[in-house]
Amino acid sequence: MRSYLIQIDGWNGATATPVRLASHDDDRLCHHNGQVWWPAIASLPTLRYDFFDGAFDARSITSPTGSFTAAIGAIPNLPALALHDARVRIWRGELGDVWAAFTLIFDGRVKEQPAIADGIATINIGTDDSWLDQPLLATYAGTGGAEGSTDLQGQVKPLALGAPRFAPAVLVDAVDNIYQISAYGAINAVTVAFDRLTRFGAVQANHASFAALDAATVTRGRWATSLAGGYVRLGAPADGQVAFHVEGDAVGGWSRLPGALIARIAAIAGGTAKVASADVTALNSARPWNLSLMVSAQTTARELIQRIAASVNAVAYVDWLGMLRVAPVGIGAATLTMAADGSALPPVASVEQVAIAAPYWRLAQGAVPTWQVHAPGDIAYNLNQPQGEYQAGTAYRQGDIVSLPNGSQWLFIGATPVAGSAPATGNANWQQIAGPIVPVANDGTSLEQLLGDISTTLDSKRTIFVQQTAPTAAESQENDWWNQTDASGAVIATYRRVAGTGRLSIGGNAITLGGSYITLPWVRVDDQRITNALAAATAASNLADSKAVVFTMFASSDPVPVATDVGDLLVRAYLNPTQIDRWDGSAWQPAATFGATAAQLATLASALEAAENAQATADGKIDTFYSDFPPSGASLGDLWFETDNGNALYRHNGSGWLQVRDSGIAQAITAAAGAQATADGKVTTFTGEGTPTASGIGDLWYKPSDKTMRRWNGSSWAVASPSNVADGATVGAPSGTNVGSTPATTVEAGGNAANGGLNGDGSVKTDKVSTGSIQNEAVTKSYFASLASAVVSMPVNVMTELLVITLPGVAAGEVLRITGKLRLLCPDDLEGDVYLAYDINGASGMGISNDAYKFDSDGGASTKLAVPISAALVAPSAGQYRVFLYYYNRKSGSDAGTGTNLDVMRQRR
């Protein structure tokens, strides 16, 4: 016979008073398990369960309920017991079975105090599922540190499950930029950090705890983690909205499967022992689908678990024993076929279509959700940034664009900034977005061909025109060049004379207008590098005509050549772009740079020197004439100064005189020869290795083997130098820049040092610059000091000197601008005064500023404060000043941290 035993764990005041009931008055039943079971069950328990009805409403997890009645005659103290929410258990077995054979079929709670009528108590029961309805998320205490500041008090702590993308985080420490993504134990990883959707590079380090993360040094622009507590720290304050790609909660092992997520939620809610582990395993096997969930608003375990179950077509419920169960819903094999026409048993009385909810009340999202939505204003758009030519020592980041010497352009696409990774095919950090520049002229001529033609032009004496209007066909020939200038003389375009007739044609057919061909002999070159190179070549060619020496350095380790005279050129071919320097009389000064490669410019430099040598050695000498009329008897390369036309310079091309356009050349030659030499109207310039016979004082001799220029002084050939240049030649620094009482080309340790305002190492002598020569409002010097180590446990109600800076030689009226920061730490509330003071020549000090600070942490937790320092002082008198930083402490245990610093800038008024 089926029999039942019921135990209710009631209370009589503070005393536990169990009530044990039996369904039959039989000694074999009423004395089971060594206890007395009263045969007082008036009606057997009725247990009800709402089974799945086909509607995925996901509104709640269902729990079974039931009721039974008991006669109180056998238990007269029943009405006096507190039975509401008391635990109730029901066993079922056969009458006469041993206790071990009885099965526990219900474990729950009494829903309300029983109603008693006519000696019968009606007891309503239900399973104990209250843990499912408690608030799931914990809240911040607001006591500082990991519990956040006071403004976070009462706010919920976030929970990350699975792998949320663009997950939000809570800023728990605004001073040190620490965020918390998930607060319920260790998380598996933070894979990407974003600020306004701009990716940071790789994580700098992971730290064991919040305290270790807070104490670490995180580089600006980098980030670090403490996965043990779900924290991320940025190296600098965020520019906007932050977000993270996360592999979330990993307590018990990281997983994204639905059963594992349900079990973890139950554990957080305190229901670990109330989850059927076999169901969790079965659900993971039946629904092996990865899920992610970011919880940042208060909720319950019931709501979250049912959301997860519904998203994978499963049902969660609580069974009669109070265990959380979860099962996938599926359609199995039919066990019975019913015929609506009554042809089969059991007979069907009627057929009716019943409306139910849609198959899915909540649909599982079909794509990976973005947990934090960014408005357009929250996004830092990553615009590609041109960075010029690639430099090996520069760190490039996503979006940077660089160019190579061959003209190709490359986009940096690597996720992590890196230096020394040169753009190349196969380098994963770079993507080529433009190929090398090969055709640069409308006729398809390459850069190398054009530069080669420049060399050919110089060697073959082809003409380079520099003028506003196009040269005529009569005065130009094929492969000539034309730099078009504006009214001011600035080059605005470069053209090249084409081969052939230059007739304009379409599809190979020449075009005529009124019976005449349309000619277009000059083709524009649309590459600025060619324009620049040609301009430099033009200047160099003119200087070659005047016999300036062109030197070339192919490596930075090459010795720097010694110039022979003002206007000499030095081609630094090892630089990219190549740089041409000009000797100004005392030093090599940058004169021109242009965008050709080092190899191409080396070719050009060789061509320039070859052209120079060819001119200089044409007849072994160059005669320089001074007259107001064209001299006769001149040969190729000779020079003529037209004295009645401002000493305009002309060069003989073998058949006539052509004007040299650079007036600086004329000035240089006149200065080198000297007034005495030019008085007779002729200066002869010799070129060669053998010693020539001079015709008069001031004649010049260039010796190619040692690249020296010599001048005939009347008795010997002397190397041209400031000591033997004739009167009228300016040697030394340009006018207005002389140092000391006399011009000097260098500052030495000898006599020149006494004349100049510089020391032998090039520094300015202390007695050579007066205060009045310094521009008003200029910052003359900055002084900085910081704490080398923390000042621990400063005494209470005592003025502690933290930093002092000494400023020698302060003038009256100087402005001392003082900035800095004082970092304070106290285990309790923080209170004190910050003082700035100064003294002059050690006399009694005077105060600059006094700021009082008091910070109440409302809970006694440690307090950290970074106090900014800013003040200004106009020096009342001259002397040595000392600036002091003091702190007057009012709370025991207060420390001054190592971040404390002071910076004083002196500004002239």
Side-chain angles (χ1 to χ4, degrees), residues 242-331:
V242 298
F244 304 92
H245 285 353
V246 183
E247 293 177 4
D249 191 283
V251 176
W254 180 70
S255 176
R256 300 177 62 187
L257 297 179
L261 298 188
I262 288 173
R264 180 58 186 144
I265 293 170
I268 294 174
T272 302
K274 293 182 176 295
V275 178
S277 58
D279 285 10
V280 169
T281 302
L283 181 62
N284 288 339
S285 298
R287 302 288 189 265
W289 304 332
N290 290 329
L291 301 179
S292 297
L293 196 62
M294 187 71 211
V295 188
S296 56
Q298 190 60 273
T299 185
T300 64
R302 186 186 300 274
E303 197 275 339
L304 275 187
I305 291 172
Q306 188 59 27
R307 279 176 58 187
I308 294 173
S311 71
V312 296
N313 197 10
V315 172
Y317 62 97
V318 178
D319 66 13
W320 286 335
L321 297 179
M323 297 295 291
L324 175 67
R325 308 292 300 274
V326 58
V329 175
I331 300 176

Side-chain angles (χ1 to χ4, degrees), residues 65 133 238 240 495 514 678 714 765 782 847 860 897:
T65 60
D133 299 311
Y495 297 86
T678 60
K765 292 184 177 180
S782 176

